Amino acid sequence: MSQTFQNYIGGKWVPARSGKTFENLNPATGDKLGTFPESGADDLDDAVKAARGAMRMWQLTPAPKRGEMLYKLGQLIAEKKEMLAQAATREMGKILIETRGDVQEGVDMAYLAAGEGRRMYGVTTPSEMPNKWAMSVRVPIGVVGVITAWNFPFAVPTWKIFPALLAGNTVVFKPSEETPEMGYHLAKLFEEVGLPAGVFNVVHGNGKNVGWPMVQHPGVDVVSFTGSNAIGAQIATEGARLGKRVSLEMGGKNGVIVMDDADVSLAANAVAWGAFGTTGQRCTATSRVIVHERVHDELVKLVVQRAQALKLGDGLKDGVEMGPLVNDKQMQRVSGYMKVAAEEGVTIATGGARATGAGLDNGHFFQPTVLTGVQAKMRVAQEEIFGPVVGFVKVKSLEEAIAVNNETPFGLSSSIFTSNVNAAFTAMRDLTTGIVYVNHGTTGAETHLPFGGTRGTGNGHREAGHTMLDAFTEWKSLYVDFSGKVQRAQIDNN
Ligand code: NAD
């Protein structure tokens, strides 16, 4: 049944000023799920004004109190986990066990951020002058604009919104237009725990009409973005021009190294999960397998078997192991890379085309695909495909494997399967990604560790973990002189 949804601005549910709407569709069935406001710069402006209006009150609310609100929110999310997971599967397509994990990440993030409310440690240090006190504290920056992708429609917004609020900022959130219902649910949950009006606002719409005005709005102090490199680069440029803080989480081209001393069956399971879980639409998806020549054929055989055994379908149905791509644009993108693979002379060991058949014809289903004979510099080994496609690159040594892994424009996640402790520690030292796994695939980040990547994956920020407040706070240094004299640092003590 299709519902009509609204923006959440200054604690009120309102339509777009223009009255325009857009539809949210189920990628597995094509069913219409809801109608959302097709907002514009004027709606965004309303939300920024509401957020600025609430700023002072929220900053003066003690951080432990802000944390308690997030703790209650976490409890509420946990209570509603199944409803939220089902809604996420309906609008995004990934299977229920995965959307349950997506929602659980929101619970974990709420509890983590809540605890930070009673820490938010500053630093005290001795002054170089007598009778003088010195310390530094974190302070909120102002209004944080949050723009997110559709692939983790619940978890990723929480990585940004919860720490931003905990730190004392107010937030305007533009959810992905592919998964707007999760944005609605988040606002509804905040309303239910009694978050004061204006502290958190949601404006639905597309990137051009809401996202870009958010980047440009003088009332937005920080832009926290998760999405593609193409859009992230535009936001970074505009943010620099306007002197804003911009935190970017973008694409990946993640590699799993499998050495000849590895448990090959374990590696095959991890590769299949990393490559085909979320239909390959994860920033941490396994998209390259960098495998020692001695175990190459065995590993390919096992991963192909696992790919062919996967049951595709509507993620809400029991037994389904892989859902659809999110939309037709994604179908065109992934299909386009099959043409690139053919041009590059790569072998398609399995898959390579749209999946059809009973229960699949109304959705954007793509076959789990294994490419072999991939060379490190090929486009299919360098560019983010963002679909259920994994390419095998054959190598002769650990050194070569590490070099291949590191030579892409991205640097999010990498992994090594080996039983040799020296190889494991060498890889931990020399793999140049933001996340490195040993004997585990490229996905599966935990919220209490920093998340983010090097090179084109980001711009140096890390979300979650002990770094969660860095993007959303400034440091303020405070000096208190109780000497009763004018004491001149660097002068009177030398
Ligand atoms: P996208 O860049 O197309 O869109 C992301 C968001 O930006 C959406 O909300 C969109 O409406 C908005 N947007 C689009 N144009 C804009 C503009 N001109 N100005 C401001 N906002 C604009 O990306 P997508 O297809 O939604 O997501 C897929 C990408 O996200 C992949 O590259 C994936 O790797 C990346 N991703 C990264 C992480 C991470 O943490 N590193 C996590 C999830 C997804």
Side-chain angles (χ1 to χ4, degrees), residues 384-406:
E384 187 181 43
I385 298 175
F386 223 52
V389 180
V390 63
F392 279 70
V393 182
K394 205 190 274 189
V395 292
K396 290 183 168 43
S397 66
L398 177 63
E399 292 67 32
E400 186 186 355
I402 290 173
V404 167
N405 181 78
N406 291 347

Side-chain angles (χ1 to χ4, degrees), residues 235-270:
I235 293 176
T237 309
E238 190 65 1
R241 191 179 73 79
L242 297 169
K244 292 191 186 201
R245 184 176 301 196
V246 172
S247 128
L248 305 170
E249 293 291 338
M250 301 177 288
K253 190 70 191 173
N254 314 291
V256 167
I257 295 173
V258 183
M259 295 306 296
D260 54 348
D261 52 23
D263 177 338
V264 177
S265 172
L266 175 69
N269 288 340

Side-chain angles (χ1 to χ4, degrees), residues 193-241:
V193 293
L195 192 79
V199 173
F200 176 69
N201 308 273
V202 177
V203 183
H204 292 286
N206 64 30
K208 183 165 155 268
N209 297 330
V210 182
W212 195 245
M214 179 186 277
V215 174
Q216 293 192 311
H217 199 295
V220 173
D221 304 286
V222 181
V223 179
S224 180
F225 169 84
T226 293
S228 64
N229 286 66
I231 303 298
Q234 289 174 28
I235 293 176
T237 309
E238 190 65 1
R241 191 179 73 79

Side-chain angles (χ1 to χ4, degrees), residues 3-65:
Q3 242 183 295
T4 299
F5 295 88
Q6 298 190 316
N7 290 329
Y8 185 64
I9 298 176
K12 296 200 169 64
W13 297 95
V14 291
R17 279 179 179 264
S18 67
K20 287 189 194 158
T21 57
F22 68 95
E23 286 180 354
N24 186 24
L25 303 177
N26 181 331
T29 61
D31 293 344
K32 183 174 153 185
L33 298 172
T35 302
F36 285 81
E38 173 79 73
S39 314
D42 45 359
D43 303 296
L44 191 266
D45 187 56
D46 290 343
V48 174
K49 285 194 178 115
R52 292 209 84 77
M55 232 165 62
R56 178 97 180 128
M57 169 277 301
W58 188 241
Q59 285 175 1
L60 294 181
T61 304
K65 286 280 162 218

